[in-house]
Amino acid sequence: AQSVAQPEDQVNVAEGNPLTVKCTYSVSGNPYLFWYVQYPNRGLQFLLKYITGDNLVKGSYGFEAEFNKSQTSFHLKKPSALVSDSALYFCAVSYYGNNRLAFGKGNQVVVIP
Amino acid sequence: DGGITQSPKYLFRKEGQNVTLSCEQNLNHDAMYWYRQDPGQGLRLIYYSQIVNDFQKGDIAEGYSVSREKKESFPLTVTSAQKNPTAFYLCASGPVLSNYNEQFFGPGTRLTVL
């Protein structure tokens, strides 16, 4: 079984400040971790993933995420938030031999000008 | 939204009607998925298919049916047995054995029951 927790419903951040969106996971075996972003009334867009190797993963639009095995976390970060980063962010997890993704409930990010 | 199309964008259903949501992909992916999205609940898997003429139930399959007659197409029927079908429906695709490959999502269909 696999599951994801995104503990915050909404993250508010001022434009230009660092942005962090939290994700913790539970999975049998080694996890494959993903971040997606969704703009209103649109499908999900892939941002980045962790499969193996370097714990710091860099993705699209200046986003990065850090895998922490001991804390079972995969937090999404951006050094300087833009108003255009305002969207719904989803963390998801899978593992070897399982074609299914388990999604968190999502975090609404609001970047304040 | 890549090479996945969903239609229609908005769909209205009367009580007791069956409706079919279309999903087509030109990415040559073997696996296709249907998700339901409700506010504050994330995405929940309805059905998925890893190969033509085969599909498996996800976590909330009751009241839904699918078919996979062609690699490119994976339509979802919302039957009258689905008691609360108002939601945003997302189709996705990915390579088979795609546990470490990302899924690609369509733009979604918003279904409303009148």
Side-chain angles (χ1 to χ4, degrees):
Chain A
Q2 70 236 52
S3 65
V4 169
Q6 294 182 247
E8 300 162 314
D9 289 333
Q10 182 164 312
V11 175
N12 296 324
V13 61
E15 185 176 23
N17 282 4
L19 169 63
T20 298
V21 188
K22 296 180 180 178
C23 171
T24 58
Y25 66 89
S26 174
V27 70
S28 303
N30 293 323
Y32 301 142
L33 293 153
F34 303 80
W35 275 103
Y36 289 84
V37 62
Q38 184 182 34
Y39 297 97
N41 295 311
R42 300 288 299 275
L44 274 65
Q45 297 178 29
F46 169 76
L47 281 178
L48 50 78
K49 66 182 177 184
Y50 171 82
I51 304 302
T52 187
D54 194 345
N55 289 343
L56 184 63
V57 178
K58 294 189 183 294
S60 306
Y61 313 119
F63 284 95
E64 59 188 29
E66 186 166 12
F67 172 65
N68 188 317
K69 188 172 184 177
S70 63
Q71 297 186 7
T72 62
S73 67
F74 189 56
H75 300 332
L76 181 70
K77 299 179 182 182
K78 187 172 183 181
S80 178
L82 302 173
V83 172
S84 57
D85 293 328
S86 298
L88 189 56
Y89 291 81
F90 289 97
C91 183
V93 66
S94 183
Y95 57 92
Y96 179 77
N98 182 352
N99 289 332
R100 297 174 51 161
L101 279 176
F103 285 86
K105 63 178 175 60
N107 281 126
Q108 184 68 49
V109 169
V110 177
V111 182
I112 303 164
Chain B
D1 299 323
I4 300 181
T5 58
Q6 290 185 242
S7 61
K9 186 174 178 67
Y10 299 97
L11 184 58
F12 298 91
R13 192 195 91 170
K14 294 181 180 179
E15 294 282 350
Q17 276 186 337
N18 292 355
V19 292
T20 297
L21 283 59
S22 170
C23 177
E24 303 276 335
Q25 55 100 358
N26 62 3
L27 300 170
N28 199 32
H29 287 159
D30 287 298
M32 296 187 75
Y33 309 81
W34 273 106
Y35 294 92
R36 171 178 170 143
Q37 183 178 11
D38 296 280
Q41 294 193 46
L43 275 67
R44 293 182 288 169
L45 183 64
I46 305 172
Y47 270 98
Y48 65 106
S49 168
Q50 299 184 61
I51 196 170
V52 174
N53 292 323
D54 187 43
F55 47 83
Q56 289 79 41
K57 293 182 179 180
D59 300 318
I60 55 165
E62 184 176 354
Y64 300 97
S65 65
V66 293
S67 63
R68 187 84 187 277
E69 298 177 0
K70 298 187 300 181
K71 186 176 183 177
E72 301 80 18
S73 178
F74 191 42
L76 173 74
T77 297
V78 184
T79 75
S80 57
Q82 171 50 239
K83 298 306 179 187
N84 184 23
T86 295
F88 191 52
Y89 291 86
L90 288 162
C91 179
S93 71
V96 71
L97 299 179
S98 60
N99 41 29
Y100 54 84
N101 287 310
E102 60 271 26
Q103 294 180 13
F104 294 79
F105 284 79
T109 292
R110 187 166 298 281
L111 173 62
T112 303
V113 174
L114 301 175

